[in-house]
Amino acid sequence: VKPTLVQEQCLDLAIAKGRDIVCKARTGSGKTLAYLVPICHKIIQKSEYETSVGVQAVVLVPTKELVAQVYNVVQELTYYCNRVITCIKLGTASTKQEAAMLRDTPSIVVATPAGLLKHVKNGSVVLKETVQNLVIDEADLILSFGYS
């Protein structure tokens, strides 16, 4: 398996150099893995010396369909380390069910901005002390929806 160009460039910057990344690439270029692999790497490294501290990564996407797609990629990527890395998706279940899932302190939360904001406002999730990574996938589309 060979990484795509965007993965090759992003993985080196994010994992080896610990850099923040702004990436613009076409659909199907491998961006999702380019941001998820470094996130998972960081969570696994942190788990070696620290127990679960709360939500460590937030992935914001513009639509519920993309929430499901990204969540599925996380599930596939973390298949063999699902005791260390847990992930939930917001916006597909009732607020009460999602609040219960958030109490289990997942490592990664995938959500639309509105789905996450609902839980931040009602106190189901506190992010400011634990989140290490924030991904805004399709940022141009999210901003065009009025989230800023």
Side-chain angles (χ1 to χ4, degrees):
V1 177
K2 184 175 164 84
T4 65
L5 179 62
V6 71
Q7 290 167 350
E8 200 172 283
Q9 293 173 341
C10 289
L11 293 176
D12 179 52
L13 287 171
I15 294 175
K17 298 180 178 139
R19 304 274 305 270
D20 292 337
I21 297 170
V22 175
C23 176
K24 181 178 179 181
R26 64 176 167 57
T27 300
S29 63
K31 292 183 300 289
T32 305
L33 282 177
Y35 65 73
L36 286 176
V37 169
I39 287 171
C40 292
H41 179 263
K42 186 184 254 185
I43 292 169
I44 290 168
Q45 275 191 322
K46 195 172 187 176
S47 74
E48 292 176 7
Y49 60 88
E50 206 172 288
T51 57
S52 178
V53 294
V55 177
Q56 297 173 57
V58 172
V59 180
L60 294 177
V61 296
T63 65
K64 289 181 181 182
E65 292 79 15
L66 201 49
V67 167
Q69 287 177 22
V70 172
Y71 174 80
N72 289 338
V73 173
V74 173
Q75 294 303 102
E76 289 177 25
L77 184 62
T78 61
Y79 182 80
Y80 293 105
C81 55
N82 60 11
R83 289 191 179 131
V84 176
I85 301 173
T86 55
C87 180
I88 66 165
K89 56 185 174 179
L90 299 179
T92 58
S94 73
T95 303
K96 197 174 193 178
Q97 289 172 319
E98 290 177 352
M101 290 187 290
L102 285 164
R103 280 193 292 277
D104 291 336
T105 61
S107 313
I108 303 170
V109 172
V110 182
T112 61
L116 181 63
L117 187 59
K118 171 178 55 174
H119 289 284
V120 169
K121 284 184 175 180
N122 73 20
S124 301
V125 63
V126 177
L127 302 172
K128 69 179 182 178
E129 294 183 17
T130 61
V131 172
Q132 301 280 318
N133 296 93
L134 171 64
V135 175
I136 305 173
D137 198 342
E138 305 284 347
D140 55 339
L141 191 53
I142 287 175
L143 293 173
S144 76
F145 290 164
Y147 297 103
S148 55

